[in-house]
Amino acid sequence: MALILAIESSCDETSVAITKDGKLLSNVVSTQIEVHRKYGGVMPEIASRLHAENIGVVLKEAVEQANIRLEDVDAFAVTRGPGLIGALHVGLQCAKTLAMLYKKPLIPVHHLTGHIYANEYIEPLQFPLLAVVVSGGNSELVIMEESMKFKVIGETRDDAIGECYDKVARVLGLPYPGGLPIDQLAKEGEHTYDLPVPLKGEHTYDLSYSGLKTNIINLVHNLEQKGEKVNVPNMCRSFQDVAVGLVVDRAIKAVNEYKVKQVILAGGVSANSYLRSEIKREMEKRNIKIIIPPMWCCTDQAAMIAKVAEHLYDMKVFAPLSIGVDPNWFIEDYKNFE
Ligand code: KG4
């Protein structure tokens, strides 16, 4: 184990975390959500600029809170992808500079491995496991036969589930990010709208959300043209039942086929109350252990990047200073820096 400093800047959170021998010493997060809310989504150019403005302060605060000296850090880790290209560059340049200055290894980390390994702060992972990765930019079902070995068995064919929540929220006039308001309103509503279940009848672990999104957008516009009002809580409930139902259905099929010991939720959408309760209920019925991450683990932060970096440090997965970001990095290629 070692003293690790990790940086996360893949989307709209600037974060620096420090861990020593697996223990989290600091995890400072500066979120840009308020700025992007005005635009109804993340504006990539603004995100990059704000990361550049904030990273120095976040770094300083993380070092002060952890009460360490930068020269004692054993390795500098950073999210290399997936994410917004300009945003990723800010974190990578900062990590490269630190690695060069202090002559320490540079560890590039795949963002989604971070969401998965965030669960190690809660309890040890048990293999084989199924990771249900649901976030604003990705939706994947990942089987891990052993630690740091990822096999994607299903992924979205189009939009990510979080992106779909955000777009549906926008057409319903709800604030960005749309996940939480939809989740809350769904509790007050009933399933009254007949929405299409994506990829119905197909034997696949893949997911798909663009058809569902388009269907709701058209439905809302048609109702508006007829001068009728959408029942927002009912629409939220109908949408959430279908969107989350799809993920839970795939997870049930996967645990049956892959005989996993554990299921973990990962990513921003794992904050969803209906997903959390449904997956828990279904897995407990099947005597499969489930880790439901606490809220601080669901959102983007560098503690999760540091957790993966500890494993990569032991595996000596280090990168040269010439490395670039990879906005579309595939999780199975997490050791490949080409
Ligand atoms: O993991 P994350 O920060 O994004 C990426 O790294 O891609 O997740 C953000 C996403 C947003 O789309 C947001 O609407 C969604 O997570 N989200 C939720 C909830 N809270 C956040 N979606 C559904 N229900 C929630 N309670």
Side-chain angles (χ1 to χ4, degrees):
M1 289 278 195
L3 185 62
I4 305 275
L5 186 148
I7 301 170
E8 156 65 36
S9 70
S10 65
C11 190
D12 56 354
E13 266 92 26
T14 318
S15 178
V16 175
I18 296 166
T19 56
K20 186 173 172 34
D21 301 335
K23 197 167 156 274
L24 188 60
L25 301 184
S26 65
N27 183 32
V28 178
V29 185
S30 164
T31 180
Q32 310 172 358
I33 278 187
E34 286 307 323
V35 178
H36 298 292
R37 186 166 284 148
K38 291 200 278 284
Y39 306 97
V42 177
M43 300 297 281
E45 188 54 42
I46 296 175
S48 315
R49 190 159 48 75
L50 290 176
H51 283 306
E53 277 173 22
N54 295 335
I55 196 142
V57 182
V58 172
L59 175 64
K60 185 165 180 284
E61 204 173 314
V63 170
E64 283 171 6
Q65 278 185 20
N67 198 18
I68 56 125
R69 298 181 318 158
L70 279 172
E71 46 269 52
D72 294 333
V73 170
D74 292 306
F76 294 96
V78 62
T79 304
R80 178 185 177 237
L84 302 170
I85 188 163
L88 289 165
H89 266 297
V90 177
L92 182 63
Q93 298 321 315
C94 181
K96 277 186 184 179
T97 308
L98 291 167
M100 189 187 68
L101 195 62
Y102 295 101
K103 300 186 176 55
K104 297 292 167 58
L106 174 69
I107 303 181
V109 177
H110 189 288
H111 182 78
L112 297 182
T113 66
H115 275 304
I116 292 172
Y117 273 84
N119 286 288
E120 266 198 341
Y121 283 109
I122 317 310
E123 56 179 274
L125 305 187
Q126 288 180 26
F127 306 97
L129 67 74
L130 169 71
V132 178
V133 184
V134 277
S135 76
N138 298 82
S139 311
E140 304 186 346
L141 265 67
V142 180
I143 292 285
M144 295 178 68
E145 292 289 343
E146 56 191 74
S147 186
M148 295 306 288
K149 196 167 172 210
F150 307 92
K151 183 178 168 210
V152 177
I153 58 163
E155 60 192 327
T156 182
R157 295 191 185 169
D158 36 63
D159 296 351
I161 181 170
E163 190 183 341
C164 185
Y165 262 90
D166 296 339
K167 297 275 164 54
V168 169
R170 196 200 296 209
V171 77
L172 295 176
L174 303 172
Y176 171 84
L180 186 58
I182 290 184
D183 192 5
Q184 287 168 336
L185 282 165
K187 292 186 184 135
E188 298 164 23
E190 285 173 29
H191 191 140
T192 54
Y193 291 98
D194 189 18
L195 301 171
V197 175
L199 307 177
K200 200 174 177 181
E202 281 192 43
H203 185 73
T204 174
Y205 291 114
D206 281 349
L207 304 159
S208 164
Y209 285 100
S210 86
L212 181 60
K213 173 192 75 181
T214 310
N215 194 281
I216 293 176
I217 292 173
N218 290 343
L219 200 63
V220 171
H221 288 161
N222 285 344
L223 287 171
E224 279 169 358
Q225 272 163 9
K226 285 193 265 173
E228 291 174 31
K229 276 189 88 127
V230 184
N231 182 318
V232 176
N234 285 359
M235 183 60 90
C236 290
R237 173 67 188 273
S238 308
F239 162 66
Q240 180 150 286
D241 281 355
V242 176
V244 169
L246 187 65
V247 175
V248 175
D249 171 78
R250 298 298 191 261
I252 292 171
K253 282 198 187 115
V255 298
N256 287 340
E257 184 175 333
Y258 288 89
K259 310 271 177 289
V260 301
K261 286 198 181 128
Q262 196 177 49
V263 171
I264 60 180
L265 284 185
V269 181
S270 54
N272 185 270
S273 63
Y274 184 56
L275 174 60
R276 294 163 83 91
S277 65
E278 277 300 284
I279 202 124
K280 188 162 181 282
R281 196 168 60 85
E282 291 294 343
M283 295 309 146
E284 281 176 354
K285 254 203 279 187
R286 291 166 175 79
N287 280 327
I288 295 170
K289 293 202 178 87
I290 168 116
I291 308 183
I292 305 275
M295 291 302 175
W296 76 267
C297 270
C298 298
T299 50
D300 287 349
Q301 27 70 29
M304 66 186 198
I305 304 304
K307 193 44 92 185
V308 178
E310 286 165 3
H311 292 276
L312 295 171
Y313 184 80
D314 292 342
M315 294 158 71
K316 296 198 170 28
V317 178
F318 305 143
L321 291 176
S322 56
I323 192 177
V325 300
D326 187 347
N328 303 310
W329 206 9
F330 184 47
I331 192 168
E332 292 179 11
D333 295 333
Y334 75 92
K335 281 188 281 187
N336 183 357
F337 307 136
E338 295 292 296

